Amino acid sequence: MFHADASAAIVQDGEVVYAIAEERLNRIKHYAGFPALAVKTCLDAVGAKITDVDHVAMGQDSEANLARKVRFALSNPAQILKFIRLRQRKEALRDLRSLLAQALEIDASKTRFQEHHLEHHIAHIASAYYCSPWEKAAGFSYDGSGDFVSTMMARCEGNDVEILERVYLPHSLGSFYTMICEFIGYKKYGDEGKVMGLAPYGKDTYREQVSKAVDLRNNNGGFELNLDYFMPLGSNQGMKIQPDGSVSMARHFSDRMKELFGEPRVPHSEITQRDMDLSYAMQHRFEEVFFHSLKRLHERVPVPELAMAGGCALNSVANGKLFSETPFQQTWIQPAAGDEGLAIGAALHTYHSVLGQPRRYEMKNSYLGPEFPDSRIEADLKKANLSYRKLEREPLLEAVAEQVAAGNVVGWFQGRMEWGPRALGNRSIVAHPGRPDMKDILNARIKHREWFRPFAPSILVERQNEYFEYDHPSPFMLHVYKIRPEKREQLCAVNHVDNTGRLQTVSREENPLYYDLIRAFERKTGIPVILNTSFNENEPIVCAPEEAIDCFKRTRMDVLAIGSYFVLKTEN
Ligand SMILES: [Fe+2]
């Protein structure tokens, strides 16, 4: 709460039964206020009241690393006042009980829960390890910053997460990435994921100069920033929370960047070769440092299993290469690797490590959000004056597969909403992966995204090896792999400029309906892959039926398959 991607999750008898980010409910992207709607939705979903809740845990601890923060403030006299004000604000935020009581309109004295505050990066690592099937793993978390730390290494075993290393601010691989993204005109919170797609268009021009911004080290977390390239920490680095709860970023890059590379790119202006080359160098250095840190972690925890989270763990390009660049052979990455995932990590860590309860849960899919009955969907379709047909399961799959095979774009709204930033076949827009014009069609008619961003393939898990050069599954769309040369034409709409794809592997166990849709498409085209992009248009991913219907009506989507209902644009 009061941090980007505010969210809530509920753990019942050791199982994550429900989880949702506030942005999906209040429709403010990366919302950074109090997640009142998310809390209410979680409680309603399991039929509980806040008075039934035994423990409330939060992945933020203002006491964590306090000595470091104080030392930093004292060595930067200009920062002392700011530091004190921030502490006062954080103290106010710690009163969870009154905040929850206020949001839920009850008397705080009626609640009986115990409160737990857990350091940011422990919560990240916990969100991966306790959701994995493993009894032992190396834990790694990295992002911009959280509780004055940017990177954490841990040994995860049984019920515990033992911290091995922390990298303290200002040193942060996330800040390095953000700094260059800002310099080339991508200044919005969360823009880093976009720029990753630009990197392969760049040439190897600035690698040496950009690499100097982060030095490799053989101690601690394995790297340090060269602070010449950055605005001083505390001056205006980091994010700002606006009064409406949206988030904006303050400038990270110093004038040294201008001396080296000229003027920063103005947002929305033309992207030059310089910008592409900088993004290439940025991604390259990011990967080098990441692999170096992971090798150091493996020396401390020599097991093949890596449990990972933190915003930087969404760098699917780096994730796809780690099997060949580091000794780790298996990953379990929390699908909500960004800060919304802290809710799950804090709750599970409290359950296992604090309360000593045994582990029996494994997160096998990310469908932890709301679902809506056909009755509600039909009422919303009527309200929107749309004509529709109600179809049984098989005819619906056939009809949608036929539309996709014919080159039409289908909004696919089914079952429980995904947890985390990726649409994984329940709030997705699906299309033909082998039509050369499909990327342009999607961008012109619906998505309006930057030209350089690729679309993703969903593939039947057992066919992965035929199409991709790695067979480690990627159920949460968190790895980018090379597409085999003989399959690139078949997948031309999801084949990026460097012949890679950020795939989602789909098993029948994880999502039977989506799996069967891809099967139905394969029967018509011979391709066991469907193009999958999130169901939205410059907004948080749709959550409720009316948002999906609204998006269908205002964009040039051809078909909407929502619950059992099949809606054609041509009939409306
Ligand atoms: Fe984080």
Side-chain angles (χ1 to χ4, degrees):
M1 63 185 194
F2 302 112
H3 188 92
D5 296 317
S7 66
I10 197 152
V11 168
Q12 196 171 26
D13 301 328
E15 269 183 52
V16 180
V17 288
Y18 209 90
I20 187 166
E22 187 76 359
E23 66 156 34
R24 302 293 169 87
L25 296 164
N26 72 3
R27 315 302 297 159
I28 300 173
K29 218 164 182 180
H30 300 299
Y31 182 72
F34 185 76
L37 297 171
V39 170
K40 276 183 207 162
T41 306
C42 282
L43 288 170
D44 289 349
V46 299
K49 294 192 170 52
I50 191 70
T51 46
D52 300 321
V53 173
D54 302 298
H55 299 271
V56 174
M58 188 176 157
Q60 187 182 343
D61 182 3
S62 56
E63 299 303 310
N65 308 306
L66 191 56
R68 281 278 176 163
K69 291 180 206 166
V70 171
R71 203 187 314 162
F72 170 77
L74 294 176
S75 62
N76 297 268
Q79 298 306 316
I80 290 176
L81 249 184
K82 203 171 171 183
F83 175 76
I84 293 168
R85 273 200 295 269
L86 199 70
R87 292 281 305 159
Q88 285 166 340
R89 193 176 72 92
K90 284 199 169 158
E91 282 309 312
L93 299 189
R94 282 180 69 86
D95 190 7
L96 251 177
R97 196 173 302 273
S98 354
L99 286 163
L100 279 170
Q102 215 178 351
L104 300 166
E105 295 172 346
I106 62 147
D107 180 355
S109 66
K110 293 202 175 109
T111 60
R112 59 184 178 88
F113 62 79
Q114 262 182 54
E115 227 178 286
H116 306 264
H117 292 264
L118 179 67
E119 183 180 343
H120 187 101
H121 286 277
I122 307 176
H124 272 317
I125 291 176
S127 76
Y129 173 59
Y130 293 124
C131 292
S132 80
W134 303 325
E135 272 294 304
K136 189 171 182 182
F140 192 73
S141 167
Y142 67 142
D143 62 12
S145 72
D147 288 329
F148 213 67
V149 169
S150 75
T151 307
M152 185 179 277
M153 297 184 184
R155 180 183 289 111
C156 307
E157 198 165 357
N159 269 24
D160 292 313
V161 174
E162 180 200 344
I163 301 164
L164 301 175
E165 298 284 359
R166 287 182 178 90
V167 178
Y168 295 98
L169 297 188
H171 305 290
S172 161
L173 198 51
S175 297
F176 161 72
Y177 210 92
T178 301
M179 182 273 281
I180 296 188
C181 287
E182 283 178 6
F183 190 79
I184 59 176
Y186 290 93
K187 300 180 173 187
K188 281 203 269 177
Y189 186 84
D191 271 355
E192 292 86 348
K194 297 180 185 171
V195 182
M196 192 171 67
L198 183 63
Y201 289 94
K203 295 196 193 84
D204 188 1
T205 318
Y206 302 122
R207 204 171 63 176
E208 209 173 308
Q209 274 165 318
V210 166
S211 292
K212 285 181 186 154
V214 199
D215 297 325
L216 298 180
R217 288 278 186 270
N218 281 320
N219 56 2
N220 301 333
F223 69 91
E224 263 183 22
L225 295 186
N226 176 348
L227 298 176
D228 287 353
Y229 288 70
F230 297 83
M231 294 295 281
L233 178 67
S235 59
N236 57 7
Q237 194 181 26
M239 63 180 152
K240 283 184 197 157
I241 298 170
Q242 303 300 326
D244 69 351
S246 64
V247 186
S248 70
M249 300 299 288
R251 178 176 148 181
H252 280 59
F253 61 85
S254 72
D255 288 345
R256 178 84 184 120
M257 284 291 289
K258 291 194 206 173
E259 285 162 25
L260 287 169
F261 306 113
E263 285 302 306
R265 173 178 166 266
V266 174
H268 311 296
S269 65
E270 202 193 324
I271 295 169
T272 63
Q273 192 62 45
R274 192 242 3 213
D275 305 320
M276 297 183 208
D277 295 354
L278 277 171
S279 69
Y280 173 93
M282 165 188 78
Q283 177 66 25
H284 188 274
R285 189 55 169 171
F286 179 90
E287 290 171 15
E288 272 181 343
V289 177
F290 174 52
F291 301 144
H292 177 75
S293 292
L294 286 187
K295 283 177 204 157
R296 288 189 42 74
L297 171 61
H298 191 266
E299 285 166 15
R300 304 285 300 272
V301 192
V303 295
E305 294 90 2
L306 174 67
M308 189 162 65
C312 294
L314 295 170
N315 195 311
S316 45
V317 175
N319 296 343
K321 293 178 185 169
L322 75 84
F323 304 111
S324 57
E325 299 293 329
T326 80
F328 290 110
Q329 289 310 305
Q330 286 194 67
T331 56
W332 204 99
I333 307 170
Q334 166 57 237
D339 287 343
E340 72 271 43
L342 296 172
I344 277 189
L348 287 174
H349 187 271
T350 300
Y351 191 77
H352 298 300
S353 185
V354 179
L355 305 174
Q357 294 287 337
R359 292 181 59 203
R360 58 194 181 109
Y361 169 71
E362 183 189 340
M363 189 189 281
K364 291 200 168 153
N365 63 58
S366 73
Y367 310 112
L368 293 170
E371 65 183 330
F372 300 87
D374 270 354
S375 56
R376 158 83 182 266
I377 294 170
E378 188 168 16
D380 286 341
L381 286 167
K382 280 190 178 135
K383 220 184 288 171
N385 289 320
L386 288 174
S387 61
Y388 55 84
R389 268 173 284 162
K390 186 171 186 182
L391 298 174
E392 295 292 319
R393 187 182 195 273
E394 293 313 311
L396 180 76
L397 290 173
E398 271 304 299
V400 170
E402 197 176 301
Q403 290 287 335
V404 176
N408 288 327
V409 178
V410 180
W412 177 252
F413 181 106
Q414 304 292 338
R416 294 185 68 178
M417 186 179 68
E418 298 86 346
W419 161 245
R422 303 275 94 86
L424 298 171
N426 282 6
R427 298 289 184 279
S428 291
I429 293 170
V430 294
H432 199 308
R435 298 262 308 226
D437 53 350
M438 192 45 73
K439 193 175 153 182
D440 293 337
I441 289 175
L442 281 166
N443 271 329
R445 291 210 219 146
I446 300 156
K447 300 291 286 190
H448 313 299
R449 303 205 309 188
E450 295 77 5
W451 58 267
F452 55 82
R453 291 176 64 191
F455 286 102
S458 296
I459 183 166
L460 301 177
V461 68
E462 63 273 15
R463 309 293 295 278
Q464 177 184 358
N465 204 26
E466 260 172 70
Y467 282 76
F468 291 89
E469 291 187 352
Y470 275 104
D471 56 8
H472 187 289
S474 191
F476 305 130
M477 211 186 258
L478 288 167
H479 301 82
V480 169
Y481 298 142
K482 275 250 186 296
I483 299 173
R484 292 192 185 278
E486 66 275 20
K487 300 293 185 189
R488 287 171 191 165
E489 205 186 322
Q490 232 184 54
L491 299 190
C492 60
V494 292
N495 182 25
H496 200 28
V497 63
D498 56 352
N499 294 312
T500 60
R502 186 184 69 190
L503 74 166
Q504 174 199 2
T505 51
V506 184
S507 71
R508 204 162 197 290
E509 187 196 9
E510 286 152 11
N511 192 335
L513 189 67
Y514 191 46
Y515 181 92
D516 287 348
L517 174 65
I518 305 172
R519 283 288 306 269
F521 177 74
E522 186 198 8
R523 282 197 295 275
K524 295 187 188 302
T525 60
I527 309 173
V529 177
I530 220 162
L531 182 155
N532 170 13
T533 184
S534 52
F535 198 147
N536 59 348
E537 183 217 11
N538 291 318
E539 61 185 322
I541 297 175
V542 298
C543 173
E546 62 266 29
E547 288 143 16
I549 291 166
D550 192 49
C551 185
F552 170 72
K553 284 179 87 173
R554 72 172 187 268
T555 63
R556 286 190 286 148
M557 210 180 288
D558 301 298
V559 180
L560 175 62
I562 181 165
S564 302
Y565 303 94
F566 185 78
V567 191
L568 281 171
K569 193 55 94 35
T570 50
E571 291 175 2
N572 282 285

